[in-house]
Amino acid sequence: MLRRVYLVVLVLMFAPLSLVAQTEDEPADPALLVADSVVVTPDERLIADGNVEALYDGTRLWAKRIIYLGETDQLEIEGPIRIDSGNGVVVLADSAALDSDLRNGLLKGARLVLDQQLQLAAVQMARVEGRYSQLSKVTITSCQICGPRGVPLWSIRARRAIHDQQEQQLYFDGAQFRVLDVPIAYIPRLRLPDPTLKRARGFLFPSIRTTTDLGTGVKIPYFIPLGDHADVTLTPYISQETKTLEFRYRQAFVNGDVEFNGAITNDTLLPNETRAYLFGEGSFNLRNDYVLSFDFEVTSDESYLSEYDYSGSDRLRSELSLSRATRDTDLRASLVLYNTLRDDELNSTQPTIIPDLRFEKRYQMPRDLPGEFRLALEGHGHIRYSDEDVDGRDVSRSTVEGTWLEQWTLGSGLQVQAQAGLALDQFITSHDSTVAADDYSVTPSAALTLRYPLLRTTASGARQLLEPVAQIGWVGGQDADVANDESTYQEFDEANLLSLTRFPEPDRRERGMATVLGARFLHHNPRGWEAGLTVGRVLRTEEEADFTPSSGLDQAQSDWLLATHWRHVDGVYIIGRALMTDEGIVNKAEARGAWSNDLIDLSAAFLSLEADAEENRDEQTAEWSFDGSYRVHRHWTASANLRYDIADKRAAKAGLGLSYQNECIEAAFSADRTFADSSNLDPFTTYELTVLLKGFSTGGDAGGYSRTCRP
């Protein structure tokens, strides 16, 4: 058995040459040489033979044999050779002649492997100053190559390639891009970032997009890093019908971040007009737990966003807000601007400018008094551009509300909760002669809620909870003489079943006596699934005229509220909610479901709303939607989406997609059809193809989907 020999060589080998990052004041680290045998000859040659491993200044070398020539300070190395610099750059070679610090020299039969992703194979490679690697007659790919005659899925062949290890860049002269070894394109000079560079300036991989309105075009993104905290991406989008420049700006700060997305367009759809949009958002953490955030959305015309698939919104919302949430306080001040894109709405007659201020603080009562006290202050306004009577109505509102709450648990397990409150609302209205210019309302309230949770464990180990609940509440006073601007739509669900008012804002409040009856049931199975059901209804002494017919609350006895959910540990989740009359008629219903695991990612939704003129819905609305993907193979994923209008018996939107991904390429094709038809949106079809070459910093990680070679 050969004996391993360890030597620490301070001067003889790798010693005198200083590296780029080393100063004269920094002593060189000693070199470590390990081999089966080490011999020093009389002519000052050091011969290390058998399983040689050398380490110096973070660079590790493995070889079969190393001969150090003392007179010339050179190394003659016999392979197979592996040099690992420790920063994602690995060199493999058959033989090499290098200086003692491995910074300069020539390697034959060399391969350069970058970040375990990209490999460059060459007849020979020259190392210069430890920074540059120059390869001659080189082939570059990140694809798996099987067998001596195997060809990569894609490759770049070049007369010469230079890798700048410091700048993390690759430069090619006389480059050919090949697919399955068939030349596709010739590029005299080419620069690409190596995979160790995560934020490289340059072109990203293009995508091809075809629509019935804009024809066939290409998008070519160009990425510009602005230090390590900001960047800009410019994306020209060019077709026969459009000349568009898309852009994105991102910047991260110590206490927040911002992002802006936009585009500017000249096209044949609106000739002689410049079309554009700009979306922005940002958030900043300020002192004392304050958060400042903003988002805005602006566009040049109503159809631009939908025609270019930038957004599906038909109302644009911009907001500037300041918020603070602590254990006992909640503060939010905001200014919201709306811009409608709907063809049946005018910005001049819609509430467009909306300032809002909300503050709530919780106080613990003194020791001699039970419960806690909550104080809420609110200021709100909504302004229309129009000065016409009624259509130009502007409203400002202020609210002060105090509520006392306490809860007890009796020895039998019965939970009792009591609350009492008083609210004062002040309204000022202008440009509406049908209501008072200045009015107020005083609203006292009180409620008593009883819960009786019943727990048990079944013989199979399942845990069950049955919780009946009953509430009796009273709300006094009467509404102020003010138009119903904020509470035109009402929701009745399990979240507000026990609320004393189910109107969303104080311009309308439920008043009089009301009783709520309900129950909650939960079942948790030890096999990994759980289910729940909530049932409830509201019984009032008199009807509330301001509730819409489809809200389920317009009668003295409300509709039955039914809410259920089912969840499985395998990633399946279903939730449903419905409002049903005593006769079994469902006025509103919705259901959502999702299933997600390593192979499947599915989601579906169903919605049904009865016709309700008070909610601007003259006909029944019913639709279901589906969106999902399935990994049919390790490298192939199919996807589909569909939105179907049940009431009109037609598809509203449909799409198909197919993607392929392996260690060196990612390709995705999608086809989407929008069937909607309105004055600002005609039916159109979009096809898009995107291909990314992995292994470069612009193409993403080449790992995770590596293929294996068959024996």
Side-chain angles (χ1 to χ4, degrees):
M1 176 183 292
L2 294 176
R3 184 179 61 181
R4 301 284 283 169
V5 179
Y6 296 83
L7 293 179
V8 177
V9 186
L10 297 177
V11 180
L12 182 62
M13 186 178 180
F14 306 145
L17 299 180
S18 61
L19 299 179
V20 175
Q22 180 179 314
T23 65
E24 295 180 358
D25 297 333
E26 295 175 334
D29 293 332
L32 176 67
L33 177 65
V34 182
D36 290 338
S37 66
V38 176
V39 177
V40 179
T41 64
D43 56 352
E44 297 185 351
R45 293 200 310 166
L46 184 147
I47 303 175
D49 201 356
N51 299 313
V52 182
E53 183 176 349
L55 175 65
Y56 177 68
D57 198 51
T59 299
R60 189 179 295 268
L61 179 146
W62 294 267
K64 180 180 179 181
R65 191 183 194 202
I66 294 179
I67 301 175
Y68 172 69
L69 307 177
E71 294 182 358
T72 59
D73 196 30
Q74 295 289 316
L75 297 173
E76 294 182 357
I77 309 174
E78 297 180 10
I81 302 169
R82 177 186 174 96
I83 303 175
D84 190 343
S85 61
N87 57 359
V89 179
V90 176
V91 177
L92 307 175
D94 296 331
S95 62
L98 301 172
D99 57 13
S100 61
D101 61 0
L102 310 179
R103 291 169 51 81
N104 297 277
L106 189 66
L107 300 94
K108 294 185 178 180
R111 279 198 304 156
L112 182 63
V113 182
L114 303 177
D115 201 28
Q116 300 182 354
Q117 299 182 45
L118 191 67
Q119 52 182 319
L120 295 83
V123 176
Q124 67 178 22
M125 182 179 76
R127 285 176 62 88
V128 181
E129 299 178 0
R131 172 178 174 178
Y132 301 100
S133 296
Q134 179 176 306
L135 300 96
S136 301
K137 298 181 180 179
V138 60
T139 299
I140 305 99
T141 188
S142 60
C143 299
Q144 178 75 34
I145 303 175
C146 297
R149 297 184 179 180
V151 296
L153 183 60
W154 67 264
S155 63
I156 298 175
R157 289 192 179 183
R159 183 176 64 255
R160 183 180 67 163
I162 297 176
H163 176 234
D164 187 337
Q165 188 169 328
Q166 180 175 317
E167 296 294 331
Q168 299 168 285
Q169 297 287 332
L170 290 164
Y171 302 89
F172 303 98
D173 291 336
Q176 278 186 1
F177 178 72
R178 295 184 170 223
V179 176
L180 295 175
D181 210 30
V182 176
I184 300 298
Y186 175 77
I187 308 172
R189 289 185 178 274
L190 178 65
R191 177 184 64 84
L192 290 171
D194 77 21
T196 63
L197 180 60
K198 303 307 178 185
R199 292 169 52 82
R201 180 189 183 102
F203 287 102
L204 305 179
F205 289 97
S207 61
I208 300 174
R209 187 171 188 264
T210 299
T211 73
T212 52
D213 290 335
L214 302 174
T216 300
V218 61
K219 292 186 177 184
I220 308 176
Y222 187 81
F223 181 75
I224 306 172
L226 305 175
D228 60 354
H229 61 283
D231 58 61
V232 175
T233 302
L234 302 177
T235 305
Y237 172 30
I238 301 173
S239 75
Q240 294 180 344
E241 307 297 332
T242 182
K243 301 296 183 291
T244 297
L245 178 63
E246 302 173 356
F247 59 86
R248 182 190 68 183
Y249 174 79
R250 302 181 300 180
Q251 183 166 357
F253 303 90
V254 174
N255 61 338
D257 57 77
V258 297
E259 180 174 337
F260 302 94
N261 291 272
I264 185 168
T265 294
N266 285 314
D267 59 26
T268 59
L269 302 182
L270 291 179
N272 302 321
E273 290 190 23
T274 298
R275 313 177 73 186
Y277 90 97
L278 180 62
F279 288 179
E281 62 180 2
S283 179
F284 298 90
N285 297 319
L286 308 180
R287 294 180 179 179
N288 300 321
D289 298 322
Y290 283 97
V291 177
L292 176 66
S293 61
F294 72 87
D295 65 83
F296 64 85
E297 300 175 334
V298 294
T299 185
S300 59
D301 57 83
E302 291 81 0
S303 59
Y304 181 61
L305 297 176
S306 58
E307 289 172 347
Y308 283 80
D309 200 23
Y310 292 136
S311 173
S313 301
D314 55 7
R315 286 192 182 118
L316 301 185
R317 184 180 187 273
S318 302
E319 180 180 9
L320 176 66
S321 68
L322 178 68
S323 62
R324 180 175 185 262
T326 65
R327 181 180 181 273
D328 295 318
T329 62
D330 183 41
L331 169 68
R332 180 176 179 83
S334 65
L335 177 63
V336 178
L337 304 178
Y338 277 103
N339 179 27
T340 181
L341 305 180
R342 297 184 178 184
D343 54 357
D344 59 348
E345 294 180 350
L346 297 176
N347 280 305
S348 59
T349 58
Q350 296 294 315
T352 305
I353 304 174
I354 304 175
D356 195 83
L357 173 64
R358 300 172 187 262
F359 174 78
E360 185 174 2
K361 186 173 179 61
R362 182 176 65 175
Y363 299 90
Q364 294 296 328
M365 301 297 288
R367 292 184 178 180
D368 297 336
L369 298 176
E372 67 178 38
F373 180 76
R374 296 183 183 180
L375 176 65
L377 305 175
E378 184 175 345
H380 172 86
H382 48 269
I383 303 170
R384 294 171 169 86
Y385 293 136
S386 174
D387 291 333
E388 296 181 5
D389 189 36
V390 180
D391 287 341
R393 179 176 55 248
D394 300 330
V395 179
S396 61
R397 166 176 56 83
S398 60
T399 298
V400 179
E401 184 172 6
T403 305
W404 170 84
L405 303 100
E406 177 59 310
Q407 180 173 305
W408 303 271
T409 301
L410 305 182
S412 61
L414 180 66
Q415 295 179 353
V416 181
Q417 181 179 348
Q419 70 179 82
L422 181 66
L424 174 63
D425 302 310
Q426 178 74 35
F427 298 90
I428 299 176
T429 304
S430 59
H431 303 123
D432 189 348
S433 60
T434 64
V435 298
D438 189 349
D439 203 359
Y440 69 92
S441 67
V442 178
T443 306
S445 63
L448 183 68
T449 304
L450 304 177
R451 301 173 183 267
Y452 194 60
L454 303 171
L455 298 171
R456 77 164 187 164
T457 301
T458 66
S460 62
R463 291 175 295 169
Q464 295 179 339
L465 166 68
L466 176 61
E467 185 183 56
V469 60
Q471 180 193 76
I472 182 169
W474 170 81
V475 179
Q478 60 181 9
D479 291 332
D481 185 13
V482 62
N484 184 4
D485 265 354
E486 303 176 72
S487 298
T488 54
Y489 295 89
Q490 308 93 32
E491 293 294 335
F492 180 32
D493 54 35
E494 60 270 39
N496 62 15
L497 177 62
L498 298 176
S499 297
L500 291 181
T501 177
R502 275 156 282 271
F503 287 108
E505 297 297 343
D507 57 350
R508 290 294 183 273
R509 293 182 183 267
E510 291 186 59
R511 302 185 187 273
M513 295 290 297
T515 301
V516 177
L517 300 176
R520 181 171 61 128
F521 175 75
L522 295 176
H523 177 94
H524 180 80
N525 192 288
R527 296 182 179 179
W529 63 269
E530 68 175 50
L533 174 66
T534 299
V535 180
R537 76 182 314 182
V538 181
L539 308 175
R540 291 192 298 268
T541 56
E542 57 186 35
E543 297 181 1
E544 183 63 63
D546 287 317
F547 281 122
T548 62
S550 64
S551 67
L553 297 164
D554 60 324
Q555 302 295 320
Q557 294 185 356
S558 74
D559 289 349
W560 286 97
L561 168 65
L562 305 174
T564 183
H565 76 271
W566 187 83
R567 180 188 293 112
H568 197 278
V569 70
D570 290 337
V572 182
Y573 183 77
I574 300 173
I575 184 173
R577 183 183 297 115
L579 299 179
M580 186 175 64
T581 66
D582 291 333
E583 293 77 21
I585 300 174
V586 177
N587 290 322
K588 287 186 177 181
E590 64 174 333
R592 297 180 183 274
W595 183 17
S596 180
N597 55 37
D598 293 338
L599 296 178
I600 295 176
D601 190 358
L602 302 177
S603 64
F606 169 79
L607 176 67
S608 176
L609 302 175
E610 291 297 315
D612 189 342
E614 294 186 23
E615 293 187 0
N616 297 322
R617 190 171 56 253
D618 296 330
E619 298 179 353
Q620 179 189 12
T621 297
E623 68 175 31
W624 63 268
S625 61
F626 165 84
D627 190 357
S629 64
Y630 177 66
R631 192 171 177 181
V632 296
H633 184 268
R634 184 165 179 250
H635 304 288
W636 290 93
T637 301
S639 61
N641 66 83
L642 176 64
R643 185 159 58 88
Y644 186 81
D645 192 326
I646 301 174
D648 289 346
K649 297 181 180 180
R650 66 177 180 86
K653 190 173 184 179
L656 294 172
L658 184 65
S659 65
Y660 175 82
Q661 187 171 186
N662 63 20
E663 77 283 352
C664 65
I665 192 172
E666 181 177 351
F669 173 79
S670 64
D672 293 281
R673 173 68 173 174
T674 299
F675 299 93
D677 189 4
S678 65
S679 61
N680 63 356
L681 178 61
D682 295 325
F684 65 92
T685 304
T686 301
Y687 304 95
E688 191 159 0
L689 174 64
T690 303
V691 179
L692 302 179
L693 301 183
K694 293 189 174 184
F696 304 101
S697 72
T698 55
D701 186 0
Y705 290 85
S706 299
R707 295 169 295 167
T708 56
C709 297
R710 295 181 179 179

